[in-house]
């Protein structure tokens, strides 16, 4: 029976945290307003705001662009800077995004792992809660896009991770029954067994 593996993207294939931390530190240097507490505090606040507002996007309470604006606006307040109009906020996020994209890198063990799975005849896919266009660009930038049979973003599914419907939808796109698919991710809170445990080989 054909088997498959679905991978999370950020924090599993690509080092999102390192890229974001480096981008935030450089962004603050370029735009001024560095806090005395230093880069660790900046990174921690950015992580907090990312988690807070991205969760609102996944719940359908904000658009993808709105959650970006909220993150920048509240980060500016954290830096003690006034919040400009919407257009300026969008431009500030774009300047962060350029730095973030320039820092994308895959983990060292990803290519060997994918090679081994491919040699074993395992179908490979990505299931991500991120924006599909950005996530495809990320995989392309680090040379991984062509290694996957499918890349599925939750925005194209009935639900986002950790809802079991997201995993089931990704398995359908992969063309393999859930009972023959394993999932590899970095955040336990975003992994959930389907209603019947026998329906999936490894959501965890």
């Amino acid at each position: 029976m054909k088997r498959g593996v679905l991978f999370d993207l950020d924090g599993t294939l690509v080092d999102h945290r390192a890229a974001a931390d480096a981008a935030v530190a450089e962004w603050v240097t370029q735009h001024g307003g560095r806090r005395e507490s230093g880069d660790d505090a900046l990174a921690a606040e950015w992580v907090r705001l990312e988690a807070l507002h991205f969760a609102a996007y996944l719940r359908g309470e904000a658009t993808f662009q709105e959650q970006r604006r909220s993150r920048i606006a509240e980060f500016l307040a954290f830096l003690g800077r006034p919040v400009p109009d919407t257009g300026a906020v969008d431009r500030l996020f774009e300047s962060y995004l350029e730095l973030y994209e320039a820092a994308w890198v895959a983990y060292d063990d990803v290519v060997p792992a994918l090679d081994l799975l491919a040699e074993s005849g395992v179908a490979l896919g990505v299931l991500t809660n991120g924006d599909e266009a950005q996530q495809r660009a990320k995989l392309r930038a680090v040379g991984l896009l062509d290694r996957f049979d499918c890349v599925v973003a939750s925005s194209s599914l009935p639900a986002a991770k950790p809802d079991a419907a997201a995993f089931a939808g990704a398995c359908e796109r992969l063309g393999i029954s859930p009972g023959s698919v394993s999932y590899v991710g970095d955040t336990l809170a975003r992994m959930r067994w389907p209603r019947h445990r026998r329906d999936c080989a490894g959501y965890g």
Side-chain angles (χ1 to χ4, degrees):
M1 180 181 295
K2 182 78 170 179
R3 298 191 62 82
V5 177
L6 288 169
F7 289 88
D8 173 48
L9 202 168
D10 294 310
T12 301
L13 300 172
V14 173
D15 194 345
H16 164 71
R17 186 77 282 127
D21 289 353
V24 166
E26 180 61 24
W27 185 90
V28 173
T29 297
Q30 291 182 6
H31 293 280
R34 180 177 292 281
R35 294 176 62 93
E36 294 180 0
S37 48
D39 289 350
D40 288 347
L42 296 174
E45 179 64 7
W46 187 253
V47 168
R48 185 187 73 82
L49 292 173
E50 179 184 60
L52 176 67
H53 293 292
F54 198 76
Y57 160 69
L58 292 178
R59 293 193 300 268
E61 298 170 2
T63 66
F64 193 71
Q65 187 64 21
E66 286 170 347
Q67 62 88 24
R68 286 179 164 181
R69 290 171 181 160
S70 296
R71 287 158 59 189
I72 282 289
E74 293 185 32
F75 193 65
L76 289 171
F78 175 77
L79 295 172
R81 293 182 53 187
V83 179
D85 60 43
T86 298
V89 167
D90 287 347
R91 289 191 293 274
L92 286 170
F93 193 93
E94 286 299 318
S95 66
Y96 158 79
L97 190 59
E98 290 177 3
L99 296 167
Y100 170 61
E101 291 176 351
W104 285 340
V105 63
Y107 291 106
D108 292 341
D109 58 352
V110 169
V111 169
L114 296 179
D115 284 345
L116 182 62
L117 289 168
E119 290 169 4
S120 301
V122 176
L124 302 175
V126 172
L127 173 60
T128 173
N129 277 346
D131 174 73
E132 185 163 346
Q134 183 187 51
Q135 300 296 66
R136 284 183 173 273
K138 188 178 296 180
L139 288 167
R140 185 179 296 109
V142 299
L144 296 179
L145 183 60
D146 292 340
R147 289 178 170 269
F148 295 98
D149 299 292
C150 69
V151 176
V152 183
S154 58
S155 59
S156 67
L157 296 170
K161 295 183 294 182
D163 194 298
F167 296 103
C171 289
E172 183 177 357
R173 299 277 184 89
L174 193 60
I176 300 177
S177 65
S180 298
V181 177
S182 297
Y183 178 74
V184 180
D186 67 310
T187 305
L188 186 61
R190 292 180 187 170
M191 303 179 194
R192 179 181 298 168
W193 286 93
R195 181 173 300 175
H196 300 296
R197 199 172 187 73
R198 61 180 172 79
D199 288 343
C200 178
Y203 293 162

